[in-house]
Amino acid sequence: MSDLDYRKNQARRGLDESVPAHPDGAPGHPMVVFGDHSFCAGASLDVMRMPATHMHSQVELNFVLEGEMTYWFDGWKMTLGAGRLAIFWGMIPHQVVDKLEPTRFVCLYVPISVLMSLPTLSRLRGAVLRGGMIEALEIRPYDAEVFMRWREELLAGDAQAAEIVRDELSARVRRLDREGWRDLRKLAVVAPKGGGHDEERVLHVEKMVRFIGEHAHDDIAVADVAKAVGLHPNYAMTVFRREVGLTINQSIVRHRLDTARSMLVATDRPVTQIAFESGFGSLSRFYQAFEQRFKAAPGAFRQRFL
């Protein structure tokens, strides 16, 4: 399917894919709506390259039936092959940038409330809400058949069947947590913006991205990030922007916002406390940055998930 055909198909489904591709769309990424934010399944089994990043409110589960697909996932590049199951929060900007022919998968969209209703999954839940792409380490021989059945029943529009699928899927996620999982970001590389990159330079950028991810909630600035990898701040800023498509400061703010968003959904802490715990030194700056990225005030954003 061509990019034009894909756009037409998305338009028929009421989705907005009209913004530039990654990563230059940052910090504003497009929100799309699948099934009115409800529990639903992707209509097509065929994986399509996406002309732009998007975000959506649900947790997304991908079970790859055959082939191989590559995601750009908020600055990281990671690949899923046949027989692999991944789960991530759709609020993390993502885009299918490459695939083998043919590649087919089952894509399920699950309301965040389903994840939040599983209190025993605090570690897995936290990893998803903090922006991880989680892969199951244990796949059962019948998983492909089960995911196909879930998809068919969700597409049939039977409310009673959908409730059963919800219960079965919740049990599968609990089993995933019990049997083991890994965050694919730990194996991923920084997704380059263009060609002709020096290996050492890209390695520096990967280290900077990881440092930001680990310390964004602290009082850090460009100089701290550059020092962590032994680079002059000006050179660090130039290299980072070239490879990632964001400035170092934009990346720090984005990680802080991701942390704040997770706490808004997963806890009942006051907004002021969340602002400071996520790394913002100014409440007004937090409100400004949050509304700019998520198009809603923190309190209003939290209400969506109650």
Side-chain angles (χ1 to χ4, degrees):
M1 176 178 290
S2 69
D3 284 354
L4 179 59
D5 291 335
Y6 177 84
R7 288 177 182 273
K8 290 179 178 179
N9 186 44
Q10 297 293 77
R12 285 194 295 270
R13 297 165 60 195
L15 307 179
D16 179 10
E17 294 286 0
S18 61
V19 301
H22 76 78
D24 292 329
H29 290 269
M31 281 290 294
V32 297
V33 177
F34 294 109
D36 195 25
H37 307 282
S38 66
F39 188 19
C40 60
S44 175
L45 291 173
D46 296 322
V47 174
M48 297 178 292
R49 293 182 182 87
M50 298 162 54
T53 57
H54 71 212
M55 302 189 306
H56 53 81
S57 65
Q58 299 107 316
V59 171
E60 183 171 335
L61 281 82
N62 292 171
F63 187 89
V64 184
L65 300 169
E66 64 173 319
E68 185 177 275
M69 58 190 292
T70 299
Y71 271 110
W72 180 89
F73 189 76
D74 200 24
W76 300 95
K77 194 172 184 180
M78 51 193 72
T79 299
L80 296 172
R84 296 172 69 183
L85 169 62
I87 176 172
F88 60 91
W89 193 13
M91 289 295 288
I92 308 302
H94 56 283
Q95 175 184 2
V96 177
V97 294
D98 200 7
K99 66 168 187 171
L100 297 180
E101 294 287 357
T103 298
R104 301 166 69 245
F105 74 153
V106 173
C107 184
L108 304 180
Y109 301 102
V110 184
I112 191 69
S113 59
V114 173
L115 193 70
M116 300 307 298
S117 68
L118 304 174
T120 60
L121 299 186
S122 58
R123 181 168 166 264
L124 174 62
R125 182 176 63 191
V128 172
L129 291 175
R130 285 192 299 272
M133 180 176 281
I134 306 305
E135 180 187 15
L137 296 180
E138 185 74 25
I139 298 296
R140 301 301 176 90
Y142 50 77
D143 270 332
E145 179 181 348
V146 169
F147 272 84
M148 283 290 289
R149 176 167 54 80
W150 287 342
R151 171 183 174 272
E152 292 168 1
E153 291 180 342
L154 288 173
L155 291 176
D158 185 324
Q160 186 176 13
E163 283 299 313
I164 295 174
V165 172
R166 180 185 178 120
D167 292 340
E168 292 176 345
L169 181 63
S170 296
R172 180 63 181 90
V173 174
R174 291 198 299 272
R175 188 175 296 279
L176 184 158
D177 183 56
R178 176 183 174 84
E179 295 176 345
W181 51 268
R182 62 182 178 180
D183 187 343
L184 291 178
R185 292 179 302 177
K186 297 184 183 300
L187 306 175
V189 297
V190 172
K193 186 183 177 186
H197 301 279
D198 177 76
E199 182 177 347
E200 182 179 3
R201 188 169 68 235
V202 173
L203 181 60
H204 282 314
V205 173
E206 289 182 12
K207 290 180 179 178
M208 284 191 280
V209 170
R210 294 185 191 279
F211 179 85
I212 292 170
E214 293 170 359
H215 300 281
H217 60 282
D218 298 325
D219 184 18
I220 61 171
V222 171
D224 301 298
V225 178
K227 182 179 179 181
V229 295
L231 297 179
H232 187 279
N234 290 341
Y235 180 68
M237 287 189 293
T238 299
V239 170
F240 193 92
R241 171 66 182 177
R242 182 185 304 158
E243 298 293 329
V244 179
L246 298 172
T247 68
I248 291 176
N249 279 327
Q250 284 174 331
S251 187
I252 292 172
V253 171
R254 170 169 292 195
H255 277 79
R256 289 172 177 169
L257 288 172
D258 287 340
T259 299
R261 174 185 57 188
S262 298
M263 287 195 288
L264 283 168
V265 174
T267 76
D268 59 359
R269 296 174 189 172
V271 172
T272 300
Q273 181 181 350
I274 288 174
F276 292 117
E277 287 187 5
S278 58
F280 286 91
S282 162
L283 191 60
S284 61
R285 173 59 182 142
F286 168 66
Y287 271 90
Q288 179 186 23
F290 194 95
E291 293 187 34
Q292 181 179 4
R293 181 173 178 192
F294 300 120
K295 311 305 179 187
F301 183 89
R302 170 180 267 171
Q303 287 296 319
R304 299 176 185 174
F305 300 94
L306 295 181

